[in-house]
C-alpha cells in the first residue's frame, strides 16, 4: 500500500477524529477505559506513519469541549492516561525530531496535565520534523468564540480597523494560526459527523471515514486514507476542466 502512494502528493496536514475506543472495549466485554488504554498503539502508529511520509502536521482530536459531560471517572481516567502518555513519549519525540503542540482550552485541564503538557511542549519546541497537535478541551465553536472576543476587543481598543477583518485575519486569531488547513480528515469508528472539530479549518478538507475502531487503527489504515485522498479531485469551487488544465 505504501508503495502505491504518490510521494509528491502527501497532505501537509492530516487531522484525525480518534473515535471508537469505548465500543472497542465493550465488544471485548471490558470497561470503556480499557479502550482508551489501548488507543496508544494507534496514536504511535499514526504519528510514525505520518512522519515517515513527510507530513508536516498531524492534529489528533483527543478530548472535546463536549467530552466534559462524560462520567467523572471516565474523564479522570482519560486525564491520567494523557499525563502518562506525554511522559512516556517525550524521549521518542526527541529521537524522531517531533514537536508537540496543542489547541484547545488547555487552562481547563487538571494542573498535573497542564504542567506535563507545558513541559513536553517546551522540551520539543526546537524539533523541526513533524508537529503533533493534540486537540484538548477543544471544539470549533469554542475556538471561533474566543477569536471573536479577541477581535472585538481589538476593535474596541482601536488597534484594529473593522474593514481589516477578513478570513485571513480570522484564521490568525484561531488556535491553529500559522498552520496550514488540513487537507485530509480521518474519522474512525463509522460515525459520519464532525463533532465540533475544526469547523473553520475544514472548509475545503477531504473527509475520509472508516469503520475501523480507533484502537485497531494502524499505519496501513493511514496509507489507505492517503491513497483515497490522492484519488480525489480537489476543485475549490472551480470546474473539473479548469482543474485539469490548471487554470
Ligand atoms: C474516542 O472514543 C475517544 C474520546 C472521545 C476521548 P470514544 O470514547 O468516543 O468511544 P465510543 O465512540 O464511545 O466507542
Ligand atoms: C469526538 O468523539 C471527540 C473526540 C474524538 C475527542 P465523540 O465520541 O465525543 O463524538 P460524538 O459525541 O459521538 O459526536
Ligand atoms: Mg465516540
Amino acid at each position: 500500500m505504501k508503495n502505491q502512494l504518490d510521494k509528491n502528493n502527501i497532505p501537509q496536514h492530516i487531522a484525525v477524529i480518534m473515535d471508537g475506543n469505548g465500543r472497542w472495549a465493550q465488544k471485548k466485554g471490558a470497561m470503556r477505559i480499557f479502550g482508551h488504554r489501548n488507543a496508544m498503539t494507534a496514536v504511535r502508529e499514526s504519528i510514525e506513519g505520518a512522519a515517515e511520509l513527510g507530513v508536516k502536521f498531524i492534529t489528533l482530536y483527543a478530548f472535546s469541549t463536549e467530552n466534559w459531560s462524560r462520567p467523572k471517572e471516565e474523564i479522570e481516567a482519560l486525564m491520567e492516561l494523557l499525563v502518562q502518555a506525554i511522559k512516556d513519549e517525550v524521549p521518542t519525540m526527541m529521537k524522531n525530531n517531533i514537536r508537540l503542540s496543542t489547541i484547545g482550552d488547555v487552562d481547563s485541564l487538571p494542573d498535573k496535565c497542564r504542567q506535563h503538557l507545558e513541559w513536553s511542549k517546551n522540551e520539543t519546541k526546537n524539533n523541526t520534523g513533524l508537529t503533533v497537535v493534540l486537540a484538548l478541551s477543544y471544539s470549533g465553536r469554542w475556538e471561533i468564540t474566543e477569536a471573536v472576543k479577541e477581535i472585538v476587543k481589538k476593535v474596541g481598543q482601536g488597534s484594529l480597523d473593522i474593514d481589516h477583518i477578513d478570513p485571513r485575519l480570522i484564521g490568525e486569531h484561531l488556535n491553529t494560526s500559522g498552520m496550514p488547513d488540513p487537507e485530509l480528515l480521518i474519522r474512525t469508528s463509522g460515525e459520519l459527523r464532525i463533532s465540533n472539530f475544526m469547523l473553520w479549518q475544514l472548509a475545503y478538507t477531504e473527509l475520509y471515514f472508516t469503520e475501523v475502531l480507533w484502537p485497531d487503527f494502524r499505519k496501513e489504515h493511514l496509507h489507505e486514507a492517503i491513497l483515497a485522498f490522492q484519488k480525489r479531485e480537489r476543485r475549490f469551487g472551480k470546474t473539473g476542466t479548469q482543474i485539469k488544465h490548471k487554470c
Side-chain angles (χ1 to χ4, degrees):
M1 179 76 71
K2 195 179 171 194
N3 298 332
Q4 286 171 257
L5 294 177
D6 174 359
K7 299 285 180 299
N8 298 315
N9 187 19
I10 301 291
Q12 279 195 79
H13 182 180
I14 300 177
V16 188
I17 303 179
M18 313 185 285
D19 199 12
N21 296 352
R23 276 164 287 166
W24 184 89
Q26 279 159 348
K27 268 184 24 189
K28 295 185 155 36
M31 307 272 284
R32 293 177 51 83
I33 183 66
F34 182 66
H36 299 314
R37 237 179 255 137
N38 278 276
M40 263 323 280
T41 310
V43 172
R44 261 184 231 116
E45 289 248 336
S46 16
I47 293 175
E48 241 181 69
E52 281 168 10
L53 294 170
V55 172
K56 281 293 173 202
F57 296 88
I58 185 164
T59 302
L60 304 172
Y61 202 9
F63 194 85
S64 72
T65 307
E66 288 75 19
N67 288 148
W68 289 114
S69 325
R70 290 197 178 190
K72 190 167 158 279
E73 308 73 57
E74 183 168 341
I75 296 176
E76 279 171 8
L78 273 167
M79 294 299 158
E80 201 47 57
L81 276 172
L82 181 70
V83 172
Q84 200 55 47
I86 302 165
K87 261 200 213 158
D88 292 350
E89 295 304 315
V90 167
T92 316
M93 289 195 276
M94 294 310 291
K95 197 175 102 217
N96 297 326
N97 196 21
I98 292 171
R99 186 167 71 103
L100 181 72
S101 164
T102 52
I103 55 173
D105 188 9
V106 175
D107 288 344
S108 67
L109 299 173
D111 285 350
K112 202 168 148 197
C113 268
R114 230 183 40 232
Q115 284 155 13
H116 277 94
L117 271 173
E118 288 314 319
W119 176 78
S120 316
K121 285 199 272 188
N122 196 44
E123 284 290 296
T124 61
K125 70 169 190 262
N126 295 322
N127 291 345
T128 53
L130 174 70
T131 298
V132 174
V133 183
L134 287 181
L136 289 166
S137 190
Y138 172 88
S139 69
R141 286 185 177 176
W142 168 82
E143 178 187 43
I144 293 169
T145 307
E146 291 304 304
V148 168
K149 284 196 229 165
E150 192 59 34
I151 292 169
V152 169
K153 198 165 116 196
K154 287 183 185 171
V155 172
Q157 289 167 345
S159 61
L160 175 66
D161 188 319
I162 201 161
D163 292 330
H164 289 154
I165 301 176
D166 60 8
R168 196 186 50 83
L169 182 123
I170 295 174
E172 283 167 2
H173 285 80
L174 299 175
N175 287 194
T176 47
S177 169
M179 287 164 58
D181 288 340
E183 288 105 316
L184 171 64
L185 169 82
I186 301 171
R187 182 171 190 151
T188 57
S189 88
E191 303 298 351
L192 306 179
R193 55 178 171 267
I194 297 300
S195 300
N196 213 348
F197 188 46
M198 295 191 126
L199 298 178
W200 178 273
Q201 298 86 340
L202 293 177
Y204 260 105
T205 304
E206 295 297 330
L207 310 180
Y208 178 86
F209 299 99
T210 169
E211 292 291 328
V212 175
L213 300 174
W214 180 250
D216 291 328
F217 195 84
R218 295 293 175 269
K219 263 183 215 178
E220 56 264 31
H221 299 116
L222 178 75
H223 297 153
E224 248 170 65
I226 299 175
L227 196 61
F229 163 83
Q230 293 184 341
K231 290 185 178 145
R232 308 262 180 101
E233 182 181 63
R234 307 192 72 203
R235 288 200 284 271
F236 302 100
K238 295 185 173 182
T239 67
T241 314
Q242 282 177 297
I243 297 300
K244 278 185 195 73
H245 296 97
K246 295 189 170 44
C247 58

